[in-house]
Each structure stands twice: as C-alpha cells, then as structure tokens.
C-alpha cells in the first residue's frame, strides 16, 4: 500500500488538497489496498484554507512516517510560509519516494531546496517569481505539469487532478485512472505538456505513442493538411487502420477531433488577437471564412464576428 501524505497549512488552497485527494481516494475505492491517505499540519491543529474552509488533519507532521508520496498544495499561505514548515520539508522531503506539488506548493519545495537542479512548473501567474527567487530551479511556465525524476510539479488548481490521475495510471493502470476520471467527470487526461491556457478537448489521450504524437501534431498545426490520409502517414499506419485505432483509443473520429481542435484554435484567435476573420480562417485550416462561419454556427450558434464581439475582452486603459 502506498501512503499519500498531504501537507496542510493556514492559507492552503482547498482544491489543491481535495482534488488530488479525491483521485487517490477513488483509486482506493476502485482497487482496495492501493493507497492510504493521510493529512498533517505542523502541530496537528485544524487549518483555515484561503477560501475560509476549515480542514482538520489526521496528525501532526512530526508524527508522520515517511510516505510513498508527499503532496504539497499551494495557496496564499505559501507567500510567507512558517519557517518550521520549510525546515520539515527540507529534512523529510528527501525521505519520500515521490514528491508532488500543486500550484504554488512548488514555492515551498523550492524554498526547502528540493527543486534545485530540476525542471518544474507552477501556476502561470507565479512562474516569474519562482524563477527569480530560486535561480537553481529551471521553471517551465507552459505545461500543466512537469515530471523530473521522482519530483512532480503542477500548475494551478485543477492541474493537480490531471497529475494525480497520471500518477494513479503509473501506479495501477489506465483502466483504474479512467474509472476515477469518469466518476469525477473530468477528462482522462490532459497530457502534461498541454499548455496551461489550452482548452480541453473531449477526446482522451491515446494509449499508443504514434497516435499521441498525431494528436499533438494536430493541436500544433491546425492549418495544415489534416486529412485521414495525411495523418495516417504520420502515424505510420494505413488510413483504414489509423481511423479505426484513433477512434478506439480516443473515443472520437479523426475528423471530429480535427474539427474540435480547429474550432478551439479559432476561438482563441478571435478572443486574443485582432486578426481578421479571413486570416483566422486560413490559420485554422478552414480555407475560407464561409467554412469557418458554418462551423461556428453549427457548434456555437453564432457567426465568428458575433462570437468575437461577445467574448473578446474589452480593451483596458
């Protein structure tokens, strides 16, 4: 049985705690004997989260045995952490088989010297300060989580769920992680290299590497030739075999997946840039503004120009 110890402190972000906790608890329900979950604060007293929710720990950190997985959440309490907490992490963190942080919990690991010489991430709003305050850490601001040896760091709040699902898949298997994801009504699973600002797609991550590479290629090149024949060549499969395998492993057809990627990319360009409708349609692989308009009306119920008026933030200043 793997022990998961979650560190609690005043000002902790409650979802950083409960999100991963529910994943590991779901794994224990699914496969009894998989995990033993414990929570601990410095002196064993209740803590108040950043939202005001009071969390009651199981024990004091001093009484906690070395865990398999030590999970450090984030929250406003990481800005001026108790020196005793940093001291405990510095002394006891190396004893854990696996170190995990969620959101700004990475700042606590870094302050304890546990991220020196490693690649890590945190919430996008705090990546610059983490890099500035801890130059020995290589901070990657883009992915939703980063795994470097036995140390895993994740971005803001819900990415802790993605990371926990990835760890469960590694510890148990994909079926267990998929069962948990379905129960929690989340996607299994956003890959760690997905950008923090990427919109979630309905399809799951394929099991086989060539198909995962194709999924990544589609997301990175929405304006390219993304026909089944072209994608099959990239996957080194026949078009028929590729289409069948893609649907089996992702739950959707290549065509529908491409459609969703192009639509999400177009939405981001309309929200975040001043590019013209024709330019956006070309960049997203629609070819013509009319083709993009049909896709928007079909799936979103509004034309691209109307969508931009409704959802592009008003200029400030």
């Amino acid at each position: 049985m793997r022990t998961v110890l979650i560190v609690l402190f005043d000002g902790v972000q409650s979802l950083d705690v409960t999100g991963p906790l529910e994943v590991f608890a779901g794994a224990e329900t699914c496969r009894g004997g998989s995990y033993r979950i414990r929570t601990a604060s410095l002196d064993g007293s209740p803590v108040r989260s950043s939202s005001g929710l009071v969390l009651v720990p199981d024990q004091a950190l001093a009484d906690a045995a070395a865990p398999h997985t030590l999970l450090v959440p984030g929250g406003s309490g990481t800005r001026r952490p108790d020196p005793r907490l940093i001291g405990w992490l510095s002394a006891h963190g190396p004893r854990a088989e696996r170190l995990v942080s969620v959101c700004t919990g990475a700042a606590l690991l870094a302050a304890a010297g546990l991220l020196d010489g490693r690649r890590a991430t945190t919430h996008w709003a705090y990546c610059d300060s983490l890099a500035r305050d801890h130059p020995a850490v290589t901070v990657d601001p883009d992915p939703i989580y980063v795994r470097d040896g036995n140390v895993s760091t994740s971005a803001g709040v819900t990415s802790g769920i993605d990371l926990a699902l990835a760890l469960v898949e590694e510890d148990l298997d994909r079926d267990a992680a998929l069962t948990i994801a379905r129960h929690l009504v989340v996607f299994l699973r956003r890959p760690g290299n997905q950008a923090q600002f990427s919109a979630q797609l309905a399809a799951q991550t394929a099991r086989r590497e060539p198909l995962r590479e194709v999924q990544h290629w589609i997301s990175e090149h929405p304006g390219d030739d993304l026909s089944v024949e072209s994608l099959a060549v990239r996957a080194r499969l026949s078009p028929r075999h590729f289409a069948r395998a893609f649907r089996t492993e992702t739950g959707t057809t290549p065509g529908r997946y491409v459609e969703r990627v192009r639509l999400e990319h177009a939405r981001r360009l309309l929200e975040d840039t001043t590019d013209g409708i024709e330019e956006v349609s070309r960049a997203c692989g629609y070819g013509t503004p009319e083709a993009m308009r049909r896709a928007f009306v079909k799936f979103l119920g509004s034309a691209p120009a109307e969508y931009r008026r409704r959802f592009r933030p008003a200029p400030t200043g």
Side-chain angles (χ1 to χ4, degrees):
M1 179 178 286
R2 302 169 182 84
T3 301
V4 178
L5 179 64
I6 303 177
V7 177
L8 302 182
F9 49 86
D10 283 323
V12 71
Q13 162 66 255
S14 59
L15 190 55
D16 289 2
V17 175
T18 58
L21 187 152
E22 290 291 348
V23 171
F24 290 117
E28 176 59 20
T29 299
C30 178
R31 305 276 179 85
S34 297
Y35 297 100
R36 179 173 180 263
I37 307 164
R38 307 291 289 173
T39 58
S41 65
L42 270 172
D43 57 6
S45 299
V47 303
R48 185 174 294 277
S49 73
S50 57
S51 64
L53 181 69
V54 175
L55 303 175
V56 181
D58 295 308
Q59 60 190 139
L61 284 172
D63 299 328
H68 174 273
T69 299
L70 178 62
L71 191 149
V72 182
S76 59
T78 64
R79 295 171 192 166
R80 293 184 180 84
D82 189 317
R84 294 178 299 159
L85 177 57
I86 301 303
W88 186 91
L89 288 172
S90 181
H92 296 268
R95 301 179 187 177
E97 292 188 38
R98 185 162 64 193
L99 283 172
V100 177
S101 71
V102 182
C103 197
T104 54
L108 299 182
L109 293 185
L114 300 173
L115 297 184
D116 287 357
R118 295 187 181 273
R119 179 170 162 260
T121 194
T122 187
H123 190 288
W124 61 268
Y126 299 98
C127 284
D128 286 347
S129 60
L130 181 65
R132 182 184 64 247
D133 297 340
H134 302 283
V137 181
T138 301
V139 179
D140 189 339
D142 292 326
I144 59 173
Y145 61 81
V146 168
R147 303 187 64 184
D148 186 338
N150 71 329
V151 179
S152 299
T153 53
S154 59
V157 288
T158 57
S159 62
I161 295 175
D162 294 294
L163 176 54
L165 285 168
L167 297 176
V168 167
E169 182 174 350
E170 176 184 280
D171 293 341
L172 305 181
D173 54 44
R174 188 174 187 274
D175 289 340
L178 180 58
T179 297
I180 298 161
R182 285 173 174 163
H183 181 73
L184 296 177
V185 198
V186 296
F187 293 111
L188 178 73
R189 59 181 160 77
R190 292 186 295 170
N193 61 1
Q194 181 169 331
Q196 292 191 30
F197 286 118
S198 292
Q200 289 187 353
L201 302 176
Q204 306 298 339
T205 303
R207 184 180 291 112
R208 285 184 281 179
E209 187 63 30
L211 296 181
R212 289 200 299 271
E213 290 176 356
V214 167
Q215 286 182 292
H216 182 67
W217 172 265
I218 292 170
S219 297
E220 294 295 314
H221 302 85
D224 285 15
D225 176 10
L226 300 179
S227 64
V228 168
E229 291 75 14
S230 176
L231 296 176
V233 170
R234 184 163 294 278
R236 299 178 293 280
L237 298 170
S238 71
R240 184 176 179 181
H241 186 189
F242 168 76
R244 184 170 59 247
F246 191 96
R247 180 165 189 167
T248 298
E249 295 201 20
T250 68
T252 190
T253 66
R256 289 198 186 100
Y257 189 83
V258 168
E259 200 170 44
R260 287 181 178 274
V261 169
R262 282 177 168 161
L263 184 66
E264 293 296 326
H265 189 59
R267 290 170 65 178
R268 289 196 295 273
L269 290 180
L270 291 173
E271 293 169 9
D272 299 335
T273 76
T274 58
D275 294 346
I277 300 298
E278 184 172 352
E279 186 176 358
V280 170
S281 67
R282 287 198 305 269
C284 298
Y286 286 109
T288 67
E290 177 56 24
M292 186 170 77
R293 190 193 71 82
R294 288 196 299 268
F296 268 64
V297 170
K298 177 182 177 181
F299 292 103
L300 303 176
S302 67
E306 174 62 22
Y307 180 89
R308 169 170 272 172
R309 280 193 294 270
R310 290 169 57 194
F311 295 104
R312 186 167 179 236
T316 58

